[in-house]
Amino acid sequence: MVDSWITPKAVKGVDSAISGRGLVAVEPIVAGETVAVKGGHIVTTDELRRMSERLRNSEIQIAEELHLVAKFDEEYERVMLFINHSCEPNVGFAGNTLLVAMRNVAEGEELTTDYALFDVPDDTMDCSCGHLTCRKVITGRDWQRPELQRKYDGYFSWYLQRRISPSRP
């Protein structure tokens, strides 16, 4: 299946105070509850680089040199999760494609993740999450920061967790 799945307790594409469109809880979500399952086509890093910027925006990395992405414009909306970055996220990973609540989430709250949990692009992005702990600039190497490794232990995507702790299953 190419489409991503989002819990019926959330609505995607809602105007976000953080950036563009977001994912918002329409009912309370309990810590540990599944929030979404990322869908898409599996492509190599070389294939990803040849795709349009819009389609690359739908990507998450799932292994070394492998990514899930919308390959066609008509799939973009169905694959996108619209989960924005936050330096104080409420959603993490359980594997590579399963996203879970890291804490209880209130109705009306935007669902966010720290891109350090799954993303290792070469570029940087300015952060506008607004939290006191905001890093201001997000990089593809943030997952290497010891304080983030401690903070997010158990919520990194599987392929990044293997980089952090190679002996961990």
Side-chain angles (χ1 to χ4, degrees):
M1 179 163 101
V2 173
D3 295 3
S4 293
W5 176 87
I6 295 174
T7 177
K9 294 182 178 183
V11 173
K12 74 176 186 175
V14 176
D15 286 341
S16 168
I18 297 172
S19 178
R21 297 188 285 169
L23 182 63
V24 175
V26 293
E27 293 180 36
I29 297 172
V30 178
E33 191 172 336
T34 299
V35 170
V37 180
K38 176 67 173 171
H41 298 276
I42 299 171
V43 299
T44 66
T45 300
D46 287 340
E47 289 173 292
L48 181 69
R49 288 183 181 132
R50 292 191 298 270
M51 298 176 90
S52 70
E53 182 178 342
R54 180 173 193 255
L55 293 178
R56 283 194 315 265
N57 187 48
S58 71
E59 173 269 346
I60 66 166
Q61 190 165 355
I62 57 171
E64 303 301 332
E65 301 294 317
L66 293 175
H67 311 261
L68 274 177
V69 65
K71 285 178 97 171
F72 307 101
D73 284 331
E74 58 271 13
E75 296 172 339
Y76 181 81
E77 293 287 325
R78 297 189 330 256
V79 169
M80 283 295 290
L81 295 175
F82 294 106
I83 189 162
N84 282 314
H85 166 83
S86 174
C87 295
E88 290 297 331
N90 50 26
V91 174
F93 281 78
N96 278 328
T97 61
L98 186 68
L99 288 87
V100 298
M102 295 168 68
R103 60 169 174 76
N104 291 340
V105 178
E107 179 180 337
E109 189 175 347
E110 183 168 357
L111 295 158
T112 59
T113 193
D114 191 324
Y115 290 174
L117 293 173
F118 70 94
D119 212 6
V120 292
D122 294 331
D123 55 349
T124 62
M125 103 177 188
D126 292 332
C127 182
S128 56
C129 73
H131 288 281
L132 293 175
T133 58
C134 181
R135 299 193 301 276
K136 307 295 185 216
V137 175
I138 307 308
T139 77
R141 298 199 188 329
D142 286 352
W143 64 272
Q144 296 173 330
R145 297 170 66 147
E147 72 274 16
L148 294 183
Q149 290 178 6
R150 285 188 298 276
K151 179 178 181 178
Y152 300 138
D153 185 43
Y155 289 107
F156 283 95
S157 64
W158 179 83
Y159 91 96
L160 274 184
Q161 190 63 61
R162 300 275 299 184
R163 283 184 179 185
I164 295 165
S165 307
S167 62
R168 195 175 193 175

